[in-house]
Amino acid sequence: MLGENIQKLRKSFSISQVEFAKALGVTKQCVSNWENSYIQPSLDMLVKIADYFKVSTDFLLGRTQNNPISTEGLSDKEIAHITLIVQDIINSKLK
């Protein structure tokens, strides 16, 4: 579950394993091993990964499906706009 979640998030951010590895200070092979569940990241690295993607460690571990979007630094108007976009996407999937 963890490896799949890391890979899904990385791909959703449209970054390569090399770019992600560089951002975290690890090798591409390390990222590949995580994504293929050959090894697990350390606790410290798990927190770095969660911080990088702005998700909780529980989300990465598959303990929760909630993936909150950080709105830090946005105005109330910008947050309202994002909320409308998300709601539109949810509504389109219900059709």
Side-chain angles (χ1 to χ4, degrees), residues 3-21:
E4 291 174 22
N5 287 339
I6 292 171
Q7 185 178 57
K8 285 178 189 175
L9 284 165
R10 180 182 58 77
K11 288 182 176 183
S12 74
F13 277 62
S14 299
I15 60 171
S16 69
Q17 287 183 336
V18 171
E19 292 169 313
F20 185 47

Side-chain angles (χ1 to χ4, degrees), residues 11-63:
K11 288 182 176 183
S12 74
F13 277 62
S14 299
I15 60 171
S16 69
Q17 287 183 336
V18 171
E19 292 169 313
F20 185 47
K22 190 173 184 178
L24 295 176
V26 298
T27 65
K28 180 227 179 258
Q29 187 63 43
C30 190
V31 172
S32 177
N33 284 335
W34 295 336
E35 291 182 358
N36 290 302
S37 298
Y38 297 142
I39 62 171
Q40 302 293 313
S42 68
L43 291 176
D44 289 340
M45 190 55 67
L46 184 67
V47 171
K48 284 183 180 181
I49 295 167
D51 288 347
Y52 181 87
F53 291 121
K54 299 193 182 337
V55 298
S56 69
T57 54
D58 278 350
F59 179 79
L60 283 176
L61 294 169
R63 295 175 50 94

